[in-house]
Amino acid sequence: MTHPHLARPAALSQDALKTLVGLAALRYVVPGEIVGVGTGSTVNKFIDALATLKDQIKGAVSSSVASTRRLQALGIAVFDCSEIDQLSVYIDGADEVDHQGYMIKGGGAALTREKVVAAQSRQFVCIADESKLVQTLGRFPLPVEIIPMATRRIVRQFAAMGAQARVRLKDGAALVTDNGQHILDVVGLQISDPLAFESQVSQWPGVVTVGVFAFQKAQVCLLGTANGVKTINF
Ligand code: 5RP
């Protein structure tokens, strides 16, 4: 039997790690300013934590209808991205992040607006649990937002790369994004040059946004680990 004083502390759940990094991201929020807010279960923890500072910020720019609803329900003002020139910081999760700060995003289907808000921000702070850190992007199925009429050709273009693309479904029908488009999830990729990959696929007609965030990479990652929050500066 293990002596109670020698027992290892119980491992934190993935949910607890998300809460930790959501809280840790508060130190990147600039008082008196508008903060860029991403989408997803990790960001939801950040939004909940942000509510404790709501009187110290001007408000938020949101990357999805879901995040907007959550922010507003907590009394945080949401500004339209097109009203704002530049944000100091954008805080968002990722499906994968590598050791350069390149990411795969879009698991929550919000990649287009996420990339738009990230592009308007001086600093991208990625919040993630340690399961998201990878050597090479591509283990997570790559989300690509597309215009529906281009589906068959884009599926063939991925097949020519040796990858398989499938239309994401919701309740048995193609999922429709906040922008009225569809999502392909692409498996079988090893993205060794994220900048080149993002450039290439972004140029295919009918691609709205590819879920590789290389040009809009993270500058900081707050990674939830068994030993607490690790800060990685890229
Ligand atoms: C949404 C995203 C999310 O940031 C990504 O899917 C991670 O989500 P979660 O925090 O729920 O794991 O890109 O489009």
Side-chain angles (χ1 to χ4, degrees), residues 142 154-166 185-190 197 204:
L142 175 70
I154 295 171
V155 167
R156 281 200 306 275
Q157 285 184 272
F158 278 117
M161 283 182 162
Q164 301 82 48
R166 287 232 172 93
D185 290 305
V186 187
V187 297
L189 293 166
Q190 279 269 314
F197 185 92
W204 294 353

PDB file of all heavy atoms in Angstrom, residues 142 154-166 185-190 197 204:
ATOM      1  N   LEU A 142      -7.259  18.094 -40.452  1.00  0.00           N
ATOM      2  CA  LEU A 142      -7.146  19.524 -40.760  1.00  0.00           C
ATOM      3  C   LEU A 142      -8.491  20.090 -41.229  1.00  0.00           C
ATOM      4  O   LEU A 142      -9.022  19.674 -42.268  1.00  0.00           O
ATOM      5  CB  LEU A 142      -6.110  19.730 -41.874  1.00  0.00           C
ATOM      6  CG  LEU A 142      -6.003  21.176 -42.372  1.00  0.00           C
ATOM      7  CD1 LEU A 142      -5.362  22.066 -41.316  1.00  0.00           C
ATOM      8  CD2 LEU A 142      -5.225  21.242 -43.686  1.00  0.00           C
ATOM      9  N   ILE A 154     -12.017  20.143 -54.557  1.00  0.00           N
ATOM     10  CA  ILE A 154     -11.052  20.291 -53.458  1.00  0.00           C
ATOM     11  C   ILE A 154     -10.751  18.925 -52.828  1.00  0.00           C
ATOM     12  O   ILE A 154      -9.593  18.628 -52.486  1.00  0.00           O
ATOM     13  CB  ILE A 154     -11.560  21.325 -52.420  1.00  0.00           C
ATOM     14  CG1 ILE A 154     -11.624  22.708 -53.069  1.00  0.00           C
ATOM     15  CG2 ILE A 154     -10.666  21.355 -51.190  1.00  0.00           C
ATOM     16  CD1 ILE A 154     -12.302  23.784 -52.234  1.00  0.00           C
ATOM     17  N   VAL A 155     -11.770  18.079 -52.724  1.00  0.00           N
ATOM     18  CA  VAL A 155     -11.544  16.708 -52.226  1.00  0.00           C
ATOM     19  C   VAL A 155     -10.535  16.013 -53.129  1.00  0.00           C
ATOM     20  O   VAL A 155      -9.604  15.338 -52.658  1.00  0.00           O
ATOM     21  CB  VAL A 155     -12.882  15.926 -52.146  1.00  0.00           C
ATOM     22  CG1 VAL A 155     -12.628  14.430 -51.932  1.00  0.00           C
ATOM     23  CG2 VAL A 155     -13.756  16.473 -51.018  1.00  0.00           C
ATOM     24  N   ARG A 156     -10.663  16.192 -54.458  1.00  0.00           N
ATOM     25  CA  ARG A 156      -9.712  15.554 -55.397  1.00  0.00           C
ATOM     26  C   ARG A 156      -8.319  16.144 -55.238  1.00  0.00           C
ATOM     27  O   ARG A 156      -7.313  15.443 -55.319  1.00  0.00           O
ATOM     28  CB  ARG A 156     -10.191  15.736 -56.847  1.00  0.00           C
ATOM     29  CG  ARG A 156     -11.301  14.774 -57.260  1.00  0.00           C
ATOM     30  CD  ARG A 156     -11.386  14.644 -58.781  1.00  0.00           C
ATOM     31  NE  ARG A 156     -11.525  15.919 -59.472  1.00  0.00           N
ATOM     32  CZ  ARG A 156     -12.699  16.544 -59.670  1.00  0.00           C
ATOM     33  NH1 ARG A 156     -13.820  15.995 -59.242  1.00  0.00           N
ATOM     34  NH2 ARG A 156     -12.736  17.684 -60.325  1.00  0.00           N
ATOM     35  N   GLN A 157      -8.238  17.454 -55.011  1.00  0.00           N
ATOM     36  CA  GLN A 157      -6.920  18.090 -54.845  1.00  0.00           C
ATOM     37  C   GLN A 157      -6.204  17.538 -53.605  1.00  0.00           C
ATOM     38  O   GLN A 157      -4.999  17.308 -53.638  1.00  0.00           O
ATOM     39  CB  GLN A 157      -7.059  19.611 -54.788  1.00  0.00           C
ATOM     40  CG  GLN A 157      -7.337  20.195 -56.190  1.00  0.00           C
ATOM     41  CD  GLN A 157      -7.380  21.717 -56.168  1.00  0.00           C
ATOM     42  OE1 GLN A 157      -8.423  22.316 -55.936  1.00  0.00           O
ATOM     43  NE2 GLN A 157      -6.248  22.350 -56.433  1.00  0.00           N
ATOM     44  N   PHE A 158      -6.957  17.307 -52.525  1.00  0.00           N
ATOM     45  CA  PHE A 158      -6.330  16.691 -51.345  1.00  0.00           C
ATOM     46  C   PHE A 158      -5.948  15.247 -51.640  1.00  0.00           C
ATOM     47  O   PHE A 158      -4.891  14.776 -51.208  1.00  0.00           O
ATOM     48  CB  PHE A 158      -7.242  16.792 -50.117  1.00  0.00           C
ATOM     49  CG  PHE A 158      -7.154  18.133 -49.427  1.00  0.00           C
ATOM     50  CD1 PHE A 158      -8.254  18.978 -49.349  1.00  0.00           C
ATOM     51  CD2 PHE A 158      -5.958  18.554 -48.854  1.00  0.00           C
ATOM     52  CE1 PHE A 158      -8.164  20.217 -48.720  1.00  0.00           C
ATOM     53  CE2 PHE A 158      -5.859  19.797 -48.220  1.00  0.00           C
ATOM     54  CZ  PHE A 158      -6.966  20.624 -48.160  1.00  0.00           C
ATOM     55  N   ALA A 159      -6.807  14.523 -52.394  1.00  0.00           N
ATOM     56  CA  ALA A 159      -6.489  13.122 -52.719  1.00  0.00           C
ATOM     57  C   ALA A 159      -5.179  13.053 -53.505  1.00  0.00           C
ATOM     58  O   ALA A 159      -4.360  12.150 -53.293  1.00  0.00           O
ATOM     59  CB  ALA A 159      -7.639  12.500 -53.510  1.00  0.00           C
ATOM     60  N   ALA A 160      -4.951  14.049 -54.374  1.00  0.00           N
ATOM     61  CA  ALA A 160      -3.710  14.074 -55.156  1.00  0.00           C
ATOM     62  C   ALA A 160      -2.493  14.280 -54.262  1.00  0.00           C
ATOM     63  O   ALA A 160      -1.359  13.976 -54.644  1.00  0.00           O
ATOM     64  CB  ALA A 160      -3.790  15.175 -56.217  1.00  0.00           C
ATOM     65  N   MET A 161      -2.717  14.791 -53.062  1.00  0.00           N
ATOM     66  CA  MET A 161      -1.619  14.944 -52.069  1.00  0.00           C
ATOM     67  C   MET A 161      -1.488  13.694 -51.211  1.00  0.00           C
ATOM     68  O   MET A 161      -0.699  13.678 -50.265  1.00  0.00           O
ATOM     69  CB  MET A 161      -1.954  16.087 -51.084  1.00  0.00           C
ATOM     70  CG  MET A 161      -1.781  17.459 -51.569  1.00  0.00           C
ATOM     71  SD  MET A 161      -2.216  18.534 -50.141  1.00  0.00           S
ATOM     72  CE  MET A 161      -1.446  20.046 -50.682  1.00  0.00           C
ATOM     73  N   GLY A 162      -2.354  12.711 -51.436  1.00  0.00           N
ATOM     74  CA  GLY A 162      -2.331  11.494 -50.614  1.00  0.00           C
ATOM     75  C   GLY A 162      -3.174  11.615 -49.357  1.00  0.00           C
ATOM     76  O   GLY A 162      -3.039  10.807 -48.432  1.00  0.00           O
ATOM     77  N   ALA A 163      -4.064  12.612 -49.290  1.00  0.00           N
ATOM     78  CA  ALA A 163      -4.886  12.832 -48.094  1.00  0.00           C
ATOM     79  C   ALA A 163      -6.362  12.579 -48.416  1.00  0.00           C
ATOM     80  O   ALA A 163      -6.762  12.593 -49.577  1.00  0.00           O
ATOM     81  CB  ALA A 163      -4.692  14.263 -47.605  1.00  0.00           C
ATOM     82  N   GLN A 164      -7.135  12.355 -47.371  1.00  0.00           N
ATOM     83  CA  GLN A 164      -8.572  12.112 -47.565  1.00  0.00           C
ATOM     84  C   GLN A 164      -9.360  13.218 -46.868  1.00  0.00           C
ATOM     85  O   GLN A 164      -9.172  13.463 -45.676  1.00  0.00           O
ATOM     86  CB  GLN A 164      -9.004  10.767 -46.964  1.00  0.00           C
ATOM     87  CG  GLN A 164      -8.293   9.548 -47.543  1.00  0.00           C
ATOM     88  CD  GLN A 164      -6.938   9.338 -46.881  1.00  0.00           C
ATOM     89  OE1 GLN A 164      -6.839   9.363 -45.665  1.00  0.00           O
ATOM     90  NE2 GLN A 164      -5.898   9.156 -47.683  1.00  0.00           N
ATOM     91  N   ALA A 165     -10.255  13.847 -47.655  1.00  0.00           N
ATOM     92  CA  ALA A 165     -11.061  14.947 -47.123  1.00  0.00           C
ATOM     93  C   ALA A 165     -12.520  14.524 -47.058  1.00  0.00           C
ATOM     94  O   ALA A 165     -13.038  13.928 -47.994  1.00  0.00           O
ATOM     95  CB  ALA A 165     -10.911  16.171 -48.032  1.00  0.00           C
ATOM     96  N   ARG A 166     -13.159  14.843 -45.931  1.00  0.00           N
ATOM     97  CA  ARG A 166     -14.583  14.524 -45.749  1.00  0.00           C
ATOM     98  C   ARG A 166     -15.326  15.763 -45.305  1.00  0.00           C
ATOM     99  O   ARG A 166     -14.817  16.528 -44.470  1.00  0.00           O
ATOM    100  CB  ARG A 166     -14.762  13.501 -44.625  1.00  0.00           C
ATOM    101  CG  ARG A 166     -14.336  12.116 -45.001  1.00  0.00           C
ATOM    102  CD  ARG A 166     -15.464  11.097 -44.688  1.00  0.00           C
ATOM    103  NE  ARG A 166     -15.081   9.797 -45.234  1.00  0.00           N
ATOM    104  CZ  ARG A 166     -14.448   8.882 -44.525  1.00  0.00           C
ATOM    105  NH1 ARG A 166     -14.173   9.111 -43.259  1.00  0.00           N
ATOM    106  NH2 ARG A 166     -14.116   7.737 -45.070  1.00  0.00           N
ATOM    107  N   ASP A 185     -12.799  18.047 -43.302  1.00  0.00           N
ATOM    108  CA  ASP A 185     -11.777  17.583 -42.355  1.00  0.00           C
ATOM    109  C   ASP A 185     -10.866  16.643 -43.130  1.00  0.00           C
ATOM    110  O   ASP A 185     -11.329  15.683 -43.746  1.00  0.00           O
ATOM    111  CB  ASP A 185     -12.436  16.868 -41.172  1.00  0.00           C
ATOM    112  CG  ASP A 185     -13.195  17.858 -40.281  1.00  0.00           C
ATOM    113  OD1 ASP A 185     -12.582  18.844 -39.830  1.00  0.00           O
ATOM    114  OD2 ASP A 185     -14.406  17.642 -40.059  1.00  0.00           O
ATOM    115  N   VAL A 186      -9.562  16.943 -43.094  1.00  0.00           N
ATOM    116  CA  VAL A 186      -8.620  16.252 -43.973  1.00  0.00           C
ATOM    117  C   VAL A 186      -7.649  15.425 -43.133  1.00  0.00           C
ATOM    118  O   VAL A 186      -6.961  15.969 -42.261  1.00  0.00           O
ATOM    119  CB  VAL A 186      -7.832  17.271 -44.832  1.00  0.00           C
ATOM    120  CG1 VAL A 186      -6.990  16.535 -45.868  1.00  0.00           C
ATOM    121  CG2 VAL A 186      -8.775  18.260 -45.503  1.00  0.00           C
ATOM    122  N   VAL A 187      -7.611  14.110 -43.397  1.00  0.00           N
ATOM    123  CA  VAL A 187      -6.664  13.239 -42.683  1.00  0.00           C
ATOM    124  C   VAL A 187      -5.590  12.749 -43.650  1.00  0.00           C
ATOM    125  O   VAL A 187      -5.759  12.791 -44.876  1.00  0.00           O
ATOM    126  CB  VAL A 187      -7.377  12.032 -42.020  1.00  0.00           C
ATOM    127  CG1 VAL A 187      -8.353  12.493 -40.957  1.00  0.00           C
ATOM    128  CG2 VAL A 187      -8.075  11.161 -43.047  1.00  0.00           C
ATOM    129  N   GLY A 188      -4.475  12.298 -43.064  1.00  0.00           N
ATOM    130  CA  GLY A 188      -3.399  11.731 -43.892  1.00  0.00           C
ATOM    131  C   GLY A 188      -2.362  12.763 -44.288  1.00  0.00           C
ATOM    132  O   GLY A 188      -1.607  12.549 -45.241  1.00  0.00           O
ATOM    133  N   LEU A 189      -2.308  13.894 -43.559  1.00  0.00           N
ATOM    134  CA  LEU A 189      -1.328  14.933 -43.888  1.00  0.00           C
ATOM    135  C   LEU A 189      -0.196  14.935 -42.858  1.00  0.00           C
ATOM    136  O   LEU A 189      -0.422  14.685 -41.673  1.00  0.00           O
ATOM    137  CB  LEU A 189      -1.998  16.313 -43.861  1.00  0.00           C
ATOM    138  CG  LEU A 189      -3.045  16.590 -44.930  1.00  0.00           C
ATOM    139  CD1 LEU A 189      -3.862  17.836 -44.562  1.00  0.00           C
ATOM    140  CD2 LEU A 189      -2.370  16.791 -46.288  1.00  0.00           C
ATOM    141  N   GLN A 190       0.992  15.262 -43.328  1.00  0.00           N
ATOM    142  CA  GLN A 190       2.140  15.544 -42.453  1.00  0.00           C
ATOM    143  C   GLN A 190       2.606  16.907 -42.920  1.00  0.00           C
ATOM    144  O   GLN A 190       3.184  17.021 -44.008  1.00  0.00           O
ATOM    145  CB  GLN A 190       3.260  14.534 -42.707  1.00  0.00           C
ATOM    146  CG  GLN A 190       3.084  13.200 -42.015  1.00  0.00           C
ATOM    147  CD  GLN A 190       3.751  13.207 -40.648  1.00  0.00           C
ATOM    148  OE1 GLN A 190       4.880  13.665 -40.516  1.00  0.00           O
ATOM    149  NE2 GLN A 190       3.048  12.742 -39.646  1.00  0.00           N
ATOM    150  N   PHE A 197       2.519  25.194 -46.983  1.00  0.00           N
ATOM    151  CA  PHE A 197       1.231  24.499 -47.090  1.00  0.00           C
ATOM    152  C   PHE A 197       0.079  25.505 -47.055  1.00  0.00           C
ATOM    153  O   PHE A 197      -0.854  25.445 -47.866  1.00  0.00           O
ATOM    154  CB  PHE A 197       1.097  23.484 -45.947  1.00  0.00           C
ATOM    155  CG  PHE A 197      -0.140  22.644 -46.040  1.00  0.00           C
ATOM    156  CD1 PHE A 197      -0.121  21.417 -46.701  1.00  0.00           C
ATOM    157  CD2 PHE A 197      -1.340  23.077 -45.482  1.00  0.00           C
ATOM    158  CE1 PHE A 197      -1.273  20.649 -46.797  1.00  0.00           C
ATOM    159  CE2 PHE A 197      -2.494  22.315 -45.574  1.00  0.00           C
ATOM    160  CZ  PHE A 197      -2.458  21.102 -46.233  1.00  0.00           C
ATOM    161  N   TRP A 204      -6.289  27.672 -53.627  1.00  0.00           N
ATOM    162  CA  TRP A 204      -7.210  26.837 -54.389  1.00  0.00           C
ATOM    163  C   TRP A 204      -8.570  27.540 -54.470  1.00  0.00           C
ATOM    164  O   TRP A 204      -9.126  27.940 -53.430  1.00  0.00           O
ATOM    165  CB  TRP A 204      -7.396  25.480 -53.730  1.00  0.00           C
ATOM    166  CG  TRP A 204      -6.180  24.603 -53.693  1.00  0.00           C
ATOM    167  CD1 TRP A 204      -4.974  24.840 -54.291  1.00  0.00           C
ATOM    168  CD2 TRP A 204      -6.051  23.359 -53.006  1.00  0.00           C
ATOM    169  NE1 TRP A 204      -4.103  23.806 -54.015  1.00  0.00           N
ATOM    170  CE2 TRP A 204      -4.748  22.877 -53.239  1.00  0.00           C
ATOM    171  CE3 TRP A 204      -6.905  22.591 -52.217  1.00  0.00           C
ATOM    172  CZ2 TRP A 204      -4.281  21.680 -52.715  1.00  0.00           C
ATOM    173  CZ3 TRP A 204      -6.444  21.394 -51.696  1.00  0.00           C
ATOM    174  CH2 TRP A 204      -5.146  20.944 -51.952  1.00  0.00           C
TER     175      TRP A 204
END
